[in-house]
Amino acid sequence: MTDALPGLRVRRAGPLALLQDAGRFGVRRLGVTQGGPADLHGWAWANRLVGNDWGTTALEVTFGGLALEAERDLTLAVCGGDLGATLDEAPLPLWRGLRLRAGQVVAFRQPVAGLRAYLAVAGGFRADPVLGSTACVVREGLGGHDGHGRPLAEGDRLAVGGAARGVRGEEAPAGVRPDYAGMPRLALVPGAQIGEFDGTSLYRAFNAAWRVDDRADRMGVRLTGPRLHCRLETLISEGLGLGAVQVPPDGQPIALLNDRQTIGGYPRLGALTPLACARLAQCLPGQEVRLAAVAAEQALAEHRRFRMTFR
């Protein structure tokens, strides 16, 4: 970290604040999961608004409760969910590049809309990569600010890059800011064992409203609703990609997110697209969602358009 400079000091630690770059890839054969931002959309826009390249490490704040003091002048942006963010006790504008002066305090209170906020600083946060990534995976004890997968704690300090290119005042268009209070339609590419589910189950899967269970974290989100039935009684474990929607024997789907296990043996309806995973990651327990089947070609085209925004 030769170009690292003082950045932010943790005055109060929330329940879960983690450094995340784009993720840890090429290591699933070792049983190591992906990590990275649960809400790819919010993370990417926070980095863009301060002039950072794709993949730059930002801070993912879940639920709130975090307070950070600036140790030097910085340019920052907060995107994603509204966690009641403040700057020196005044409301902090979201989805906009802002100037932060040394000694000022940014704090996150509690969810207003959405579950996770992303704080990016110009130049990016600096940490030593583990297996090629700074992505923090608590379960595996990898990455993050200390390399050991530890959430931020009071007194921790976050270093930032010295080459800050941020432009104060740049703002994300209104059209890219999700309505976190609404009922999202989550795009799902059918595949894997979808043909093994009976017709009634498939109708229910894509026409019923599913409720986000309180058993949800960065590993996966359980959806509760009508019971789905699969004709397969046994299945050899196979690799699991981001967004895989498994259906265990109780018939209640589980959408797997960034910190998922690398293999699994439950039948799958298919996989949510990366942007559908991002939207699901912002849903609070009790919120309702719907699944919408899309063709793989359509999903790929959508993702390419999204990535082109950040080139």
Side-chain angles (χ1 to χ4, degrees):
M1 296 193 296
T2 56
D3 64 341
L5 296 171
L8 296 168
R9 181 175 64 86
V10 180
R11 291 182 51 172
R12 183 178 68 247
L16 194 64
L18 312 171
L19 289 186
Q20 299 292 348
D21 62 7
R24 185 171 286 107
F25 299 99
V27 291
R28 277 196 288 164
R29 69 187 187 279
L30 305 175
V32 177
T33 197
Q34 170 184 338
D39 177 2
L40 186 70
H41 178 88
W43 169 88
W45 271 103
N47 269 321
R48 171 175 166 157
L49 292 175
V50 295
N52 290 340
D53 294 332
W54 180 272
T56 301
T57 302
L59 182 63
E60 178 181 277
V61 183
T62 303
F63 289 117
L66 180 72
L68 304 166
E69 180 180 348
E71 297 189 305
R72 59 188 290 261
D73 291 356
L74 299 166
T75 301
L76 64 80
V78 177
C79 296
D82 181 357
L83 303 186
T86 60
L87 175 59
D88 287 345
E89 301 296 330
L92 185 149
L94 305 180
W95 302 89
R96 181 187 304 171
L98 302 167
R99 193 66 173 165
L100 182 65
R101 302 295 181 185
Q104 290 190 296
V105 176
V106 174
F108 299 87
R109 294 181 178 174
Q110 60 187 14
V112 176
L115 185 61
R116 295 175 168 92
Y118 292 84
L119 187 155
V121 296
F125 293 108
R126 290 291 189 262
D128 292 327
V130 178
L131 296 176
S133 171
T134 62
C136 185
V137 181
V138 176
R139 178 170 53 89
E140 294 180 347
L142 295 176
H145 65 290
D146 63 354
H148 298 293
R150 187 170 58 85
L152 292 185
E154 185 176 339
D156 284 340
R157 282 182 158 82
L158 295 176
V160 302
R165 301 187 280 111
V167 180
R168 176 183 175 184
E170 186 173 357
E171 190 170 358
V176 307
R177 308 179 192 186
D179 173 18
Y180 293 121
M183 180 190 295
R185 293 180 62 84
L186 306 177
L188 181 145
V189 179
Q193 294 80 35
I194 192 167
E196 301 296 335
F197 290 87
D198 62 48
T200 300
S201 292
L202 291 179
Y203 179 85
R204 290 171 173 171
F206 297 105
N207 289 277
W210 295 93
R211 188 176 299 275
V212 173
D213 193 73
D214 57 5
R215 291 167 290 179
D217 54 22
R218 283 180 46 87
M219 185 174 178
V221 176
R222 182 180 291 270
L223 303 176
T224 59
R227 182 173 181 176
L228 305 183
H229 297 273
C230 181
R231 289 184 285 268
L232 288 176
E233 294 183 0
T234 60
L235 180 68
I236 297 174
S237 293
E238 54 190 9
L240 295 172
L242 178 67
V245 178
Q246 291 188 313
V247 182
D250 67 1
Q252 303 297 279
I254 303 172
L256 300 178
L257 300 182
N258 300 69
D259 292 359
R260 66 195 178 278
Q261 69 274 29
T262 56
I263 61 172
Y266 293 135
R268 289 178 286 164
L269 287 173
L272 298 178
T273 67
L275 291 178
C277 290
R279 184 63 186 85
L280 178 60
Q282 292 288 7
C283 291
L284 290 162
Q287 191 168 348
E288 291 188 334
V289 304
R290 288 183 179 270
L291 302 177
V294 299
E297 295 79 8
Q298 179 184 347
L300 182 58
E302 178 191 26
H303 195 66
R304 283 174 172 163
R305 287 192 296 270
F306 169 74
R307 285 298 306 268
M308 287 293 291
T309 304
F310 303 97
R311 297 192 69 171

